[in-house]
Amino acid sequence: MTVGGVVLALVVVAAVGYFAGLGPMSRLNTARDITPPAKLGGLDRVTDAQIREQLKLEETRAALSRINDGKQATVEAYGNLDGKRLYVVIALRGKVDIDKTIKDSGATPEQVKKVGQSTCVESAGNLPTQCYRGSNTLTVIAQAANDGVGVDDVGALADEAFNAMK
């Protein structure tokens, strides 16, 4: 009876560590694959090899994984080059300090907006609109690739991507 209770307690602690990204089990979580959804925001994921090469999606993914201690990463594009909307979505296993990232970008406090569960930076100069959503186990960055796309659209996409890739 006591042994069963101890085993159950260990299983619960391991499960919490794995799914919440805490303790030694967090390393297993950060090694999990990230499966990008086929659609986000009603837009199809870009699968054409030439367009993906033009956008340098695989090159960016490999670099992010390398600088993020080999943790899983994915870089995807949604929409199309001819359309009015194209988004780039980056997802990384593990926690990223979003506040520090935004501060380091040079964004002013007036540019930072909260949209849903995401923290967004409005477009300024040559910097696109970007939104960040993170937890201990996953960080998602959504970026508009078109001019004139507001934080409301990008923030909603970041939230949708985060929920789809958990």
Side-chain angles (χ1 to χ4, degrees):
M1 186 76 132
T2 303
V3 172
V6 170
V7 169
L8 179 62
L10 288 174
V11 168
V12 168
V13 168
V16 167
Y18 179 79
F19 290 108
L22 305 171
M25 294 301 287
S26 69
R27 189 67 180 151
L28 287 176
N29 191 323
T30 58
R32 283 190 313 153
D33 284 339
I34 300 172
T35 304
K39 284 185 177 267
L40 277 179
L43 301 170
D44 291 325
R45 183 167 64 95
V46 174
T47 57
D48 180 84
Q50 286 181 320
I51 296 172
R52 291 181 66 81
E53 176 61 32
Q54 184 179 353
L55 295 172
K56 305 227 181 283
L57 300 178
E58 297 307 320
E59 185 178 311
T60 304
R61 184 207 54 78
L64 285 171
S65 184
R66 191 173 42 255
I67 65 173
N68 200 28
D69 298 326
K71 294 176 185 168
Q72 290 295 316
T74 189
V75 180
E76 300 296 334
Y78 290 86
N80 59 55
L81 295 179
D82 300 331
K84 293 182 182 178
R85 292 190 304 162
L86 179 68
Y87 297 98
V88 175
V89 176
I90 300 168
L92 305 163
R93 285 285 174 211
K95 183 174 180 74
V96 171
D97 187 341
I98 293 170
D99 293 332
K100 182 181 181 322
T101 301
I102 291 173
K103 182 181 177 190
D104 290 348
S105 76
T108 65
E110 298 80 35
Q111 291 175 285
V112 179
K113 309 282 185 221
K114 192 75 169 168
V115 177
Q117 299 274 333
S118 296
T119 303
C120 300
V121 178
E122 289 181 320
S123 175
N126 62 352
L127 295 176
T129 300
Q130 291 185 327
C131 293
Y132 303 82
R133 171 128 183 236
S135 68
N136 286 336
T137 59
L138 178 68
T139 301
V140 170
I141 304 164
Q143 173 178 305
N146 306 90
D147 291 333
V149 179
V151 292
D152 291 335
D153 293 329
V154 182
L157 190 87
D159 283 349
E160 183 181 344
F162 181 86
N163 291 328
M165 296 183 200
K166 283 194 227 182

